[in-house]
Amino acid sequence: MSAAGFLLAVLPAASVLLLTVATRPRRTDTVAPLRLAVVRAALLTGAYAVLVVELLGALHALTRPAFVVAWLLFLLAAGAAAVLRQRQAAAQPQVAAPRPVPVGAAMTAGTGPATPAPVTDGGAHDVAPVQPDRVRANPLARAADAWRTAGRGERLLAGTIGGLLLVELLVALLAEPNNFDSQTYHLPKVEHWVAQGDLDFWPTAIHRQVTIPPGAEYLLLHLRLLTGGDALHNLVQWAAGIICLLAVARITAQLGGSRRAQLITAFVLASTPMVVLQATSTQTDLVCAAWVACAATLVLDGLHRRAGLGTLLGLGAATGLTAVTKTSGLIAVGPLLVLWGLAQLRLAVSGRTHAGTARPVGPVARTVGGSVLILLVAATVVGPFMARVTAEFGHPLGPPRLRESIPMERHDPQSILVNALRIGHTAFDTPLAPLRRAGAKAIINGAEAIGVDPQDREITFGREIFPEPAWYPDEDRVAFPIAGVLALIGAVVALTRPRRIDPGLAGPLRAYAVVVLAAVLLHTSMIKWQPWGNRLILYALVLAIPLAGLWLDALFRRHATGGRGRRSVATMTAVAVLATSALAGVLSLSYGFPRRLVGDGSVFTTSDWDTRFLRRPQWTDEFRWAATAVRDSGAQRIGLVQQNDNWEYPWWLLLRHTDGRSPDLVALQSVLPERPPADPTSVDAIVCTGSQPACAKLVPAGWRLEFRGYVGYALPPGR
């Protein structure tokens, strides 16, 4: 990447920082205001990025100059908003800091709204100290003050989180994109947009290039055009991981969690192997989870005060960004919005604001209008893509093969139960093979006993066979037994005995637990089991993690006042679990696949090109061999022959022009009825992956066909 490309890539990051200043909440009683500002900035930037792609795509102007202008304008607007916000803050009269309020009394579960209070690092009834104005106004000063007042345990938690994030950043910068799905459709769709200059669908044998929601790829497109390559592509998911950590920590604070509870929550999530591995990848699951977490923290704000215009726009952006990134995330956003709507109606009916004054006439209508606004904003973000899909396939969810391959096709209670048990078995998998086999055998026997085939295609993706080991730290399927079990326990306790976590927050805790469990139940009743299903449910895990942090903190707090034996056993058990979680995160970062720090395939010792092919190292030389022959022939227009799960992205890299222009690649097969493939006689060369017989059928008579394992090429006579 050139120096100019690096400087241009700074534009989005600088915009987010300025927007964080500009969107900082004015209310002095806002929980974790800086984190809320980051959430707002992320949503605003994400929505802007999507809409810029849609607008410039409609104008056939997906070019580097157009994107540079768009980001310069956004940066100027963000800077102006930040300056205005700072001036307003400086003009406000100094207000004495509010008296400390016990955290346990931060929110009440009665009919009237409650007031969140500052939280500190101790138990549920610790008191937040009054900080000097200079500390409250300066984030760095606040961070320094927090570190100074933190205990050794809290410093260890924070240090581990920071260490993991920094090493993940290093891996993300050093490793080339090498995710399997990214080679097949995530990154090829970005290259198609760059080559075309618009978002029109194209003939392809890989339907996922056009049917799967492209929200995360829209973000990658910005980096691709600004930098001219894929060197920073992994940073999109890394940044999404940061947003997830900030959002879940804020959710914990909103539910009354102390500083220690917030750190535990962030620690458990940061050390979860799936999060560690996806944070250095070009997958899309962590991006989806980030938007869901943003929606969740905004919804919790709506439990105790009427939503303003900014919150409504934020919820609409979060909903739209979730839908345009991964529609399965709506399984969680839907219940969250229902909770928000019910809370807003309760506040409207009570006729009181946060301060307790009477409301004007029509509060219920205002809530309904706010709900409509949320849907309109969401439709603005995701609508253009859905309109293109509907126009192409006659259905907003795409062709039948997509609608029938992933969603459950049976919804009887027995099938849903079997599907849920299989998803749970894969999510909680461990290296203990006997335990895995025993659990799988029990599920299979139980399924057969209630008349359900455990391998039924209507509840199982493709031709996959249950069970499938998922404990190994592979980004596509690694299990999360520690985080999953802790989240499950926390959800059950919050649902059944919320007062054990915080007596003053029984209502909000129980309501949030209901939303989490509803999301999990909806997922298991709507999404088929598949070996890599753990990454598909990552959004639900992120949503549930705050309950784990709250429960663990309550456990520490409760047993700190108990007897010595009781205290030592409970505390040591919890500490051992957290230590094991940290070990799992470190090992995943060190030895995880397909990006690791040490061992075979290390980002320090493996070449750039070999890193791209760590999933299939035997294809490395085959792709280069074919691409070299095609380049040497002088071919300009090149035909593609491939199957639905083949790698296309290497061709875009190997056949790119020396001046950086995209190669002219056209598909010789197409699964889109309205997009016929190119005529094989209209191309100068053909490159093939996968099936040699399928390639041979499309090679014109008299052409020379060469094949080597997985890859082949064909050239006309004389070339």
Side-chain angles (χ1 to χ4, degrees):
M1 181 177 60
S2 65
F6 175 80
L7 291 175
L8 292 176
V10 172
L11 294 176
S15 299
V16 171
L17 292 177
L18 290 172
L19 285 175
T20 300
V21 176
T23 60
R24 188 173 176 82
R26 291 179 172 84
R27 298 182 66 107
T28 59
D29 59 352
T30 301
V31 176
L34 181 57
R35 277 171 265 172
L36 176 57
V38 173
V39 167
R40 290 173 171 176
L43 289 172
L44 184 56
T45 305
Y48 178 78
V50 169
L51 293 177
V52 163
V53 172
E54 292 289 357
L55 176 60
L56 295 181
L59 297 175
H60 304 281
L62 297 181
T63 63
R64 188 182 198 183
F67 274 65
V68 171
V69 170
W71 279 110
L72 286 174
L73 292 175
F74 191 63
L75 181 65
L76 290 174
V83 171
L84 179 61
R85 177 70 180 88
Q86 290 292 84
R87 289 179 177 176
Q88 291 174 342
Q92 289 178 350
Q94 294 293 327
V95 180
R99 293 182 60 188
V101 180
V103 173
M107 298 170 69
T108 61
T111 56
T115 304
V119 293
T120 184
D121 57 326
H125 298 285
D126 287 340
V127 173
V130 177
Q131 295 178 324
D133 289 342
R134 64 172 182 82
V135 174
R136 293 199 310 274
N138 189 330
L140 293 179
R142 280 203 312 277
D145 184 70
W147 184 263
R148 179 180 57 81
T149 59
R152 284 182 297 179
E154 293 174 345
R155 291 183 179 183
L156 181 60
L157 291 172
T160 303
I161 296 168
L164 287 171
L165 291 176
L166 288 176
V167 178
E168 288 166 6
L169 175 60
L170 177 65
V171 174
L173 291 172
L174 291 178
E176 279 64 37
N178 60 359
N179 173 263
F180 195 103
D181 285 348
S182 296
Q183 305 280 12
T184 300
Y185 69 97
H186 290 310
L187 300 185
K189 71 169 67 174
V190 174
E191 296 300 325
H192 276 287
W193 295 331
V194 173
Q196 296 177 173
D198 57 42
L199 300 174
D200 291 346
F201 291 161
W202 54 89
T204 178
I206 304 173
H207 77 88
R208 291 177 294 173
Q209 291 183 357
V210 296
T211 57
I212 299 293
E217 291 89 339
Y218 281 173
L219 304 181
L220 293 177
L221 176 62
H222 286 268
L223 290 178
R224 169 65 176 86
L225 287 172
L226 292 175
T227 67
D230 61 11
L232 300 183
H233 278 10
N234 292 331
L235 294 187
V236 170
Q237 284 254 111
W238 182 80
I242 298 289
I243 295 172
C244 285
L245 292 177
L246 295 176
V248 298
R250 183 170 191 265
I251 291 170
T252 305
Q254 289 171 289
L255 294 174
S258 65
R259 185 169 66 191
R260 182 177 63 190
Q262 297 168 47
L263 284 170
I264 292 173
T265 297
F267 176 86
V268 173
L269 182 62
S271 59
T272 299
M274 178 65 76
V275 175
V276 169
L277 294 170
Q278 288 238 356
T280 63
S281 170
T282 47
Q283 264 291 7
T284 62
D285 306 283
L286 208 51
V287 177
C288 174
W291 301 137
V292 172
C294 289
T297 192
L298 294 179
V299 163
L300 287 180
D301 280 338
L303 297 187
H304 56 81
R305 70 166 63 103
R306 297 302 305 277
L309 178 61
T311 299
L312 296 176
L313 295 176
L315 283 172
T319 303
L321 288 168
T322 301
V324 81
T325 301
K326 216 173 186 71
T327 51
S328 57
L330 294 176
I331 295 174
V333 174
L336 283 168
L337 292 180
V338 170
L339 174 62
W340 176 86
L342 293 175
Q344 291 292 293
L345 286 174
R346 177 180 64 82
L347 293 172
V349 171
S350 70
R352 293 181 176 275
T353 62
H354 177 68
T357 58
R359 297 291 299 170
V361 178
V364 175
R366 177 184 169 187
T367 300
V368 174
S371 302
V372 172
L373 178 60
I374 291 173
L375 296 179
L376 287 175
V377 173
T380 302
V381 175
V382 71
F385 168 72
M386 295 188 68
R388 289 194 298 274
V389 172
T390 303
E392 189 74 29
F393 301 104
H395 195 287
L397 298 181
R401 65 183 301 175
L402 178 63
R403 302 197 305 270
E404 297 169 1
S405 61
I406 297 177
M408 287 274 285
E409 297 178 78
R410 290 181 56 179
H411 298 91
D412 55 284
Q414 299 94 321
S415 296
I416 293 175
L417 174 62
V418 172
N419 194 53
L421 291 174
R422 294 182 306 167
I423 290 175
H425 180 274
T426 304
F428 297 147
D429 190 24
T430 70
L432 303 176
L435 181 62
R436 180 189 314 116
R437 289 193 294 266
K441 183 178 180 181
I443 293 173
I444 291 173
N445 292 340
E448 293 172 347
I450 60 177
V452 177
D453 178 4
Q455 314 300 346
D456 187 350
R457 296 303 101 189
E458 292 186 334
I459 62 173
T460 305
F461 179 84
R463 293 187 291 271
E464 305 300 326
I465 301 297
F466 173 82
E468 182 74 22
W471 66 269
Y472 185 77
D474 183 303
E475 66 173 354
D476 284 336
R477 63 179 67 196
V478 63
F480 35 80
I482 297 176
V485 169
L486 291 176
L488 180 61
I489 295 174
V492 171
V493 173
L495 185 65
T496 60
R497 305 184 70 178
R499 295 185 182 278
R500 297 192 65 177
I501 296 177
D502 194 314
L505 287 169
L509 280 167
R510 183 176 283 121
Y512 188 77
V514 168
V515 168
V516 170
L517 293 176
V520 173
L521 293 175
L522 287 171
H523 183 98
T524 56
S525 63
M526 297 174 67
I527 306 296
K528 294 177 179 177
W529 175 88
Q530 47 193 285
W532 43 89
N534 289 340
R535 65 178 180 81
L536 300 184
I537 203 170
L538 181 60
Y539 70 89
L541 176 69
V542 170
L543 201 64
I545 285 294
L547 298 176
L550 289 164
W551 173 71
L552 282 171
D553 183 61
L555 185 69
F556 285 131
R557 186 176 66 246
R558 186 168 61 254
H559 290 292
T561 58
R564 179 176 297 275
R566 182 184 179 193
R567 179 174 67 246
S568 61
V569 172
T571 301
M572 292 304 295
T573 300
V575 169
V577 170
L578 292 177
T580 304
S581 181
L583 179 62
V586 171
L587 290 177
S588 298
L589 194 54
S590 301
Y591 297 98
F593 195 73
R595 292 166 302 281
R596 57 177 51 168
L597 290 174
V598 297
D600 188 25
S602 166
V603 294
F604 296 114
T605 60
T606 308
S607 69
D608 296 353
W609 193 250
D610 288 337
T611 299
R612 296 181 185 277
F613 283 84
L614 283 174
R615 284 283 186 193
R616 297 292 187 272
Q618 67 274 21
W619 296 347
T620 308
D621 293 334
E622 295 175 7
F623 268 98
R624 280 199 272 200
W625 161 76
T628 299
V630 171
R631 283 202 314 270
D632 291 345
S633 72
Q636 296 298 312
R637 181 176 167 87
I638 303 164
L640 290 173
V641 178
Q642 54 197 359
Q643 287 74 56
N644 186 55
D645 206 30
N646 289 177
W647 286 17
E648 180 182 312
Y649 187 57
W651 298 127
W652 290 97
L653 299 175
L654 289 167
L655 299 174
R656 185 176 295 173
H657 295 284
T658 56
D659 60 0
R661 288 182 297 114
S662 299
D664 186 6
L665 299 179
V666 295
L668 303 185
Q669 311 139 291
S670 179
V671 294
L672 278 65
E674 304 300 322
R675 309 277 173 172
D679 187 339
T681 61
S682 69
V683 300
D684 303 322
I686 296 174
V687 291
C688 310
T689 51
S691 171
Q692 181 174 356
C695 182
K697 290 180 181 178
L698 292 170
V699 174
W703 284 40
R704 174 170 57 92
L705 174 62
E706 300 283 347
F707 230 92
R708 210 184 260 186
Y710 177 77
V711 179
Y713 70 90
L715 295 173
R719 284 189 180 268

